[in-house]
């Protein structure tokens, strides 16, 4: 072998670090251990599938089952051999599920707009502009995380019923749901954490070029913060879709209520099979939304766990 070939020889790759586990490689090689681990994995996977997909599958079958079958045997589906597909149509028309789902979508969209507007501007002021009173504002926002939502329910309702300066009432209007949704300290916190990771040299270069605060916000912050804004928007949609107590208090008129408030009232007006169909129709959209944006949901869940931890 020539010296030239020795000089061109690549250095040996570094050994990969060993992964420490509770079971050693020697124990894993034993047939009894392998079989027990495989059985355990299968049992855990089956339990997760049953716990996650079981209720959804049961609701889907109950939505097209007769009321008599649900009463006689809730888990013995189609015991009479009858499949009532018309339950879905009755729930959609008589229960006005389409109307309430539209109200829910409007409330969720308005909540997303107000949340992104308030949270982004507050995080921009605290993280990028850094005024002298920024630490006071940041501390006040963080302090609201320690206040339970039920404690602020009555003061918030009194504020919405009569705005302090304007003296008008927002009760029975969608603004009563949109505006409180924007004041969420957790969203301000995670957006601030994301903006802190952006190099400060970008902001300094923009200021040197003569860009003002609004220009920096529109041309630098918003394009770079699209991932976290998408996560905050999806989390806001989920929170608004399943909210029940606050819309029940501020939206007394049935025509303005979301589907979460309308479904309990529907239980007193229709039979059991139609109720199950209405529940299934109201569940389809959130499940489809999760399947489409599951990566963003999981990313938002990981960010939420990292911040709270």
């Amino acid at each position: 072998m020539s010296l030239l070939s020795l000089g061109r020889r690549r250095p040996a790759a570094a050994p990969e670090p060993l992964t420490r586990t509770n079971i050693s490689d020697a124990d894993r090689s034993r047939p009894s251990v392998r079989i027990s681990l495989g059985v355990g994995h299968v049992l855990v996977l089956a339990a997760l599938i049953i716990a996650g997909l079981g209720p959804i599958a049961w609701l889907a079958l109950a939505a097209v089952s007769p009321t008599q079958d649900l009463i006689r045997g809730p888990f013995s589906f189609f015991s009479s051999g009858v499949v009532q597909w018309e339950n879905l149509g009755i729930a959609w028309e008589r229960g006005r599920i389409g109307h309430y789902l539209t109200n829910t979508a409007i409330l969720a969209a308005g909540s997303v707009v107000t949340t992104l507007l308030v949270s982004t501007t507050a995080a921009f002021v605290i993280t990028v502009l850094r005024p002298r009173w920024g630490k006071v504002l940041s501390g006040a926002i963080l302090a609201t995380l320690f206040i339970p939502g039920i404690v602020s329910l009555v003061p918030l309702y009194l504020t919405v019923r009569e705005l302090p300066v304007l003296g008008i009432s927002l009760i029975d209007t969608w603004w009563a749901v949109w505006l409180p949704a924007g004041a969420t300290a957790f969203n301000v916190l995670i957006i601030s954490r994301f903006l802190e990771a952006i190099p400060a040299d970008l902001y300094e270069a923009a200021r040197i070029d003569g860009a003002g605060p609004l220009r920096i916000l529109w041309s630098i912050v918003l394009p770079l913060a699209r991932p976290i804004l998408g996560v905050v928007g999806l989390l806001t949609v989920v929170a608004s879709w399943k909210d029940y107590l606050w819309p029940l208090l501020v939206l007394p008129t049935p025509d303005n209520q979301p589907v979460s408030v309308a479904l309990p009232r529907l239980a007193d007006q229709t039979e059991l099979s139609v109720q199950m169909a209405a529940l299934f129709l109201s569940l389809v959209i959130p499940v489809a939304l999760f399947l489409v944006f599951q990566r963003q949901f999981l990313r938002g869940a990981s960010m939420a766990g990292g911040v709270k931890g």
Side-chain angles (χ1 to χ4, degrees):
M1 183 179 295
S2 62
L3 296 177
L4 183 59
S5 62
L6 290 175
R8 293 179 179 177
R9 181 180 295 176
R10 296 181 179 178
E16 297 182 357
L18 298 177
T19 303
R20 296 181 179 272
T21 60
N22 294 328
I23 302 176
S24 64
D25 294 337
D27 292 335
R28 288 179 182 272
S29 61
R30 297 168 55 185
S32 59
V33 175
R34 290 201 308 268
I35 294 174
S36 60
L37 285 177
V39 173
H41 292 165
V42 171
L43 292 178
V44 171
L45 180 60
L48 291 176
I49 293 176
I50 294 174
L53 298 180
I56 299 177
W58 183 89
L59 182 60
L61 295 176
V64 294
S65 299
T67 302
Q68 294 76 9
D69 293 351
L70 295 176
I71 295 176
R72 284 197 301 262
F75 296 100
S76 58
F77 298 101
F78 310 130
S79 58
S80 62
V82 179
V83 180
Q84 292 185 350
W85 295 101
E86 60 270 15
N87 291 344
L88 300 175
I90 295 175
W92 186 268
E93 296 179 1
R94 186 190 305 174
R96 303 178 63 191
I97 297 300
H99 174 76
Y100 294 123
L101 287 176
T102 302
N103 290 346
T104 306
I106 294 175
L107 292 175
S111 299
V112 170
V113 172
T114 56
T115 298
L116 294 180
L117 180 62
V118 175
S119 302
T120 305
T121 53
F124 175 74
V125 170
I126 295 172
T127 308
V128 180
L129 299 184
R130 297 180 181 274
R132 294 181 179 178
W133 43 268
K135 294 183 178 180
V136 178
L137 177 61
S138 179
I141 293 175
L142 291 177
T144 60
L145 291 174
F146 299 94
I147 302 176
I150 195 66
V151 174
S152 60
L153 187 64
V154 174
L156 184 59
Y157 179 81
L158 296 177
T159 302
V160 170
R161 190 180 65 176
E162 185 177 357
L163 294 181
V165 178
L166 301 178
I168 61 176
S169 176
L170 299 179
I171 297 297
D172 212 13
T173 64
W174 287 338
W175 289 102
V177 178
W178 291 343
L179 294 181
T184 306
F186 176 73
N187 294 332
V188 177
L189 180 61
I190 61 175
I191 295 178
S192 299
R193 292 290 182 86
F194 187 89
L195 296 184
E196 288 177 355
I198 299 177
D201 297 340
L202 294 176
Y203 307 135
E204 295 298 332
R207 293 190 181 99
I208 293 174
D209 292 339
L214 293 179
R215 181 68 176 178
I216 294 175
L217 175 63
W218 183 261
S219 301
I220 298 179
V221 173
L222 292 182
L224 295 178
R226 285 180 181 177
I228 191 62
L229 296 182
V231 170
V232 171
L234 290 175
L235 294 178
T236 304
V237 169
V238 174
S240 176
W241 201 277
K242 65 181 183 181
D243 193 11
Y244 171 75
L245 181 58
W246 183 248
L248 177 65
L249 294 176
V250 299
L251 298 175
T253 302
D255 289 338
N256 297 332
Q257 293 174 349
V259 68
S260 60
V261 180
L263 285 177
R265 187 178 63 255
L266 184 64
D268 300 332
Q269 302 174 356
T270 58
E271 56 185 1
L272 183 58
S273 60
V274 178
Q275 298 173 26
M276 296 296 104
L279 288 172
F280 177 73
L281 291 175
S282 64
L283 185 65
V284 168
I285 294 180
V287 171
L289 191 66
F290 173 79
L291 294 177
V292 174
F293 299 102
Q294 56 180 328
R295 291 184 178 179
Q296 287 78 1
F297 277 118
L298 297 178
R299 185 187 308 170
S302 63
M303 288 184 177
V307 173
K308 292 181 179 179

